[in-house]
């Protein structure tokens, strides 16, 4: 008798439990602006003006299609090309676009970092409350809750 290939496994390993992390909704406008900035890096005023014209043409073509009329990303890309065109028009001749020196980009990065820090602080606070709630539940099961000393934030943990 021959052995089947590949050999059968007798015990299957259970899959690791997956915890769904909260996700931010997709911001199509932000994606469009970032795509424009990546593409525009190192471009001079003439190249950005040509890209702006291409983007205007694409917007005009998209307006003729019902499913593309509400395209948030396309409008954001066009607005970003227009902003970059104005930025380089005001810059000295021969300047090229660099997102690292763009004040709008730096402000956005600072705002995103601040928002991420706020989200992280909220997650840490929720974890502390959950841990205290577990501790209070264990004390309750041991009938020792009346001897526990209250701490700051116990109201939220008890809720």
């Amino acid at each position: 008798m021959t052995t089947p290939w590949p050999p059968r496994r007798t015990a299957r390993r259970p899959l690791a439990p997956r915890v769904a992390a909260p996700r931010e909704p997709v911001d199509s406008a932000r994606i469009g602006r970032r795509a424009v900035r990546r593409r525009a890096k190192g471009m001079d005023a003439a190249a950005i003006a040509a890209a702006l014209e291409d983007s205007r043409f694409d917007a005009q073509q998209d307006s003729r299609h019902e499913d593309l009329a509400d395209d948030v990303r396309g409008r954001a890309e066009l607005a970003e090309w227009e902003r970059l065109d104005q930025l380089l028009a005001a810059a000295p001749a021969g300047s090229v676009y660099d997102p690292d020196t763009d004040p709008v980009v730096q402000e956005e990065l600072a705002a995103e970092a601040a928002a991420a820090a706020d989200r992280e602080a909220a997650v840490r606070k929720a974890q502390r409350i959950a841990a205290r709630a577990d501790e209070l539940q264990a004390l309750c099961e041991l009938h020792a809750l009346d001897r526990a000393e209250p701490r700051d934030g116990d109201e939220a943990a008890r809720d």
Side-chain angles (χ1 to χ4, degrees), residues 40-116:
K41 187 174 185 173
M43 285 185 171
D44 62 352
I48 286 186
L52 174 60
E53 289 305 314
D54 290 344
S55 183
R56 285 180 178 154
F57 178 77
D58 291 342
Q60 183 181 9
Q61 294 298 327
D62 290 349
S63 69
R64 296 178 181 168
H65 299 280
E66 185 176 315
D67 59 331
L68 298 175
D70 293 333
D71 182 26
V72 175
R73 180 176 174 170
R75 288 193 308 265
E77 286 181 4
L78 177 61
E80 188 66 12
W81 281 119
E82 290 172 345
R83 187 186 73 79
L84 295 180
D85 186 50
Q86 292 173 356
L87 181 71
L88 284 184
S95 297
V96 294
Y97 177 71
D98 183 16
D100 296 333
T101 61
D102 189 350
V104 173
V105 174
Q106 298 308 314
E107 288 174 9
E108 284 182 8
L109 291 175
E112 288 173 10

Side-chain angles (χ1 to χ4, degrees), residues 14-28:
L15 296 174
R18 295 185 181 180
V19 177
R23 300 182 75 175
E24 291 183 35
V26 174
D27 186 0
S28 299

